[in-house]
Amino acid sequence: MAASDASPYRAPIGTHDVLPPDSERWAAVVGRFAERAARFGYGLVITPIFEHAEVFERIGDSTDVVRKEMYDFVDRGDRRLALRPEGTAPVVRAYVQHRPTPPWKTWYVAPNFRYERPQKGRYRQHWQLGAEVLGVDDPDVDVEVIALAHGFYADLGLRQVRLLVNSMGTPEDRAEYVEVLQRYLLDHAEGLDPEFRQRAEEHPLRVLDAKQEAWQDVIERAPQLTEHLSADSRVHFERVQEGLEALGIEHELAPRLVRGFDYYTSTTFEFASDALDAAQNAIGGGGRYDRLAEEMGGPATPGIGFGMGIERILIVCDAEGVSVGTDAPALDAFIIDNTGGEAATRLVAQLRDAGLRADRSYGGRSVKAQWKEADRSGAAYGVMIGPDELARGQVGVKDLRGAHGDKEQAEVVLEQVAAWLLQRAEERAR
Ligand code: HAM
């Protein structure tokens, strides 16, 4: 019986299970990212799911993710810990702790926890694929990091992805700009609701990405950060744009793009999908955080990276009709045994040892039930073995997916069945 909504035996609200066959798409997405990251020379980094809460306070104690959404708790040893709400701070913490030789190029796949209001594309546990590079402030590395993400969406076959880029300048540029912006916003608060004034006072930058219809006029005419960049910041940002152009990576300047964390400096970017609702259309985002390592007590070390939500990527794949890793049959062969199971035990081991994906039925089911199971398993071939076949030293093989056009059951010499199936698997992969 299915558990009711109120039952404790359901995944908590805002979380979900990933079951086969959907988990295969999931694994395919992660596998492609891993393969691409390796091509770029990035190594996998694995950090704990929880950290000392201070690690995340560095990402901005004025941000909602830290103030309102963190899963923090005191453990039995009176330590204040928090489940990771994002992936950058832990990687920087690991850098500061281990001091690997820069440049340190890493990638990760990890769950993140935010106490959000769940809706499609917004969850309390979501997974991110990400990359971080520590120890290089060369704008060419910004281009490399953006190219890593950009090419990944292209690898998946996504077409409706827009890249937005901005520069936050140095913290000094930003402080100067925030003052200008705040003055402007407060001068234009007349006639708008009290929340506008409050936000302008507390966190003027966050007014820029507000969705309130009534505020848009004022927001659109607001002074822009890119007009207040220092010469160094401007040169850096221009070089990033030139690099993107050199690689043919289309991008839009988005002077009002405000990323949700305080650690950002210099280049910031976001990938938006037009296949998603505007409120959740970010399928990836990132930027520089050149002061974060120092803020954690490490040596001054620039850094840049991005994170992309796996769930959102899969929603976009569905919306764009892109299939990921779902074309291949789930198994190369499923064994139907009529010897009481002994032949299946030997044959399935032999096929698996040969590198084939093979499965069998258990529990002494009828031959008919086993054929049904074979069909349901998604296997390319059903392989029949019974006393008659054994006596002839042969097995019966049947193309279950019609992928090879041979509908009838054919006989294959038992000794050669692994080689025969491998050849068929290769033909399918071609
Ligand atoms: P973020 O923009 O908060 O950045 O998250 C990165 C991506 O994770 C988003 O673009 C979105 O695809 C996905 N995401 C975020 N929150 C949720 C959610 N509640 N449900 C589903 N998907 C979500 C970061 O986390 C930074 N650490 C990125 C970064 C890396 N910056 C520099 N390096």
Side-chain angles (χ1 to χ4, degrees):
M1 201 177 76
S4 78
D5 269 357
S7 165
Y9 305 112
R10 288 181 65 92
I13 182 167
T15 73
H16 50 262
D17 305 308
V18 186
L19 309 180
D22 206 39
S23 51
E24 273 163 41
R25 299 206 305 159
W26 190 280
V29 166
V30 176
R32 286 205 195 180
F33 188 80
E35 189 270 328
R36 190 170 172 81
R39 258 193 282 149
F40 277 63
Y42 290 54
L44 175 66
V45 61
I46 301 170
T47 62
I49 268 181
F50 56 85
E51 297 269 353
H52 293 288
E54 287 87 344
V55 169
F56 301 116
E57 276 153 14
R58 294 262 64 87
I59 70 183
D61 40 23
S62 63
T63 63
D64 282 357
V65 167
V66 173
R67 257 197 335 188
K68 301 187 194 153
E69 298 173 357
M70 219 147 66
Y71 279 87
D72 47 1
F73 58 96
V74 175
D75 79 358
R76 286 165 201 264
D78 263 346
R79 295 173 200 90
R80 215 160 59 79
L81 301 172
L83 299 186
R84 166 178 53 217
E86 62 97 50
T88 307
V91 172
V92 175
R93 195 271 308 142
Y95 174 84
V96 168
Q97 180 176 340
H98 304 286
R99 307 281 169 97
T101 310
W104 197 46
K105 294 175 156 196
T106 64
W107 73 274
Y108 50 84
V109 52
N112 297 279
F113 307 87
R114 299 180 189 178
Y115 194 83
E116 308 226 41
R117 206 151 53 87
Q119 50 199 294
K120 189 173 182 195
R122 189 174 295 281
Y123 310 107
R124 291 194 174 159
Q125 173 177 303
H126 73 276
W127 284 77
Q128 279 186 30
L129 288 164
E132 311 289 347
V133 179
L134 280 123
V136 206
D137 63 6
D138 188 332
D140 288 358
V141 97
D142 303 27
V143 176
E144 175 179 289
V145 164
I146 294 172
L148 170 56
H150 178 268
F152 176 65
Y153 299 120
D155 275 358
L156 292 177
L158 298 176
R159 289 170 306 273
Q160 298 175 47
V161 181
R162 282 183 298 121
L163 166 60
L164 312 172
V165 295
N166 192 17
S167 172
M168 305 296 289
T170 60
E172 295 73 29
D173 298 344
R174 188 150 126 189
E176 192 192 299
Y177 167 69
V178 166
E179 255 180 55
V180 173
L181 176 67
Q182 189 167 50
R183 220 172 308 126
Y184 164 87
L185 293 173
L186 292 175
D187 284 350
H188 293 79
E190 189 88 5
L192 295 177
D193 47 288
E195 199 197 328
F196 180 88
R197 176 173 286 279
Q198 193 189 344
R199 221 190 280 186
E201 272 164 7
E202 284 174 8
H203 205 339
L205 279 176
R206 289 244 68 109
V207 175
L208 293 182
D209 63 353
K211 303 277 183 280
Q212 283 85 336
E213 200 48 52
W215 303 6
Q216 295 309 314
D217 232 25
V218 176
I219 292 173
E220 261 159 44
R221 285 182 287 117
Q224 298 185 351
L225 178 52
T226 37
E227 295 159 358
H228 292 262
L229 295 180
S230 58
D232 284 354
S233 297
R234 193 168 310 130
V235 169
H236 183 102
F237 191 40
E238 277 163 12
R239 172 87 187 181
V240 172
Q241 293 171 62
E242 284 161 16
L244 293 175
E245 269 145 38
L247 294 184
I249 297 177
E250 276 180 39
H251 55 279
E252 299 166 26
L253 294 187
R256 280 188 292 276
L257 172 69
V258 185
R259 304 264 314 129
F261 305 122
D262 289 353
Y263 55 56
Y264 287 114
T265 55
S266 186
T267 314
T268 52
F269 54 93
E270 212 154 84
F271 291 92
S273 166
D274 293 334
L276 284 175
D277 286 348
Q280 271 85 238
N281 70 352
I283 53 170
R288 280 206 162 270
Y289 42 87
D290 290 342
R291 306 283 172 99
L292 189 54
E294 210 174 343
E295 282 175 15
M296 289 193 191
T301 311
I304 179 164
F306 64 80
M308 36 173 79
I310 298 183
E311 294 85 353
R312 286 193 196 175
I313 289 174
L314 290 176
I315 294 174
V316 171
C317 286
D318 285 341
E320 287 204 28
V322 167
S323 70
V324 191
T326 46
D327 294 343
L331 291 171
D332 297 305
F334 193 97
I335 293 156
I336 294 95
D337 173 288
N338 196 18
T339 71
E342 293 89 2
T345 300
R346 279 195 304 274
L347 185 54
V348 79
Q350 187 192 329
L351 298 185
R352 288 168 177 166
D353 285 348
L356 288 155
R357 291 164 308 153
D359 205 357
R360 55 165 290 192
S361 173
Y362 288 101
R365 310 183 73 189
S366 72
V367 166
K368 193 171 162 208
Q370 291 185 55
W371 275 112
K372 268 201 185 146
E373 204 177 330
D375 227 2
R376 249 196 340 254
S377 75
Y381 278 92
V383 178
M384 171 73 206
I385 185 154
D388 297 348
E389 283 85 358
L390 270 182
R392 291 199 300 275
Q394 291 188 322
V395 292
V397 292
K398 189 171 171 204
D399 180 358
L400 295 174
R401 309 253 81 77
H404 298 275
D406 20 274
K407 281 265 174 299
E408 294 309 310
Q409 193 165 312
E411 301 266 282
V412 175
V413 176
L414 181 55
E415 251 98 74
Q416 285 164 12
V417 66
W420 189 92
L421 287 166
L422 275 170
Q423 198 187 337
R424 295 297 186 283
E426 267 170 34
E427 279 168 17
R428 281 195 305 278
R430 250 185 256 137

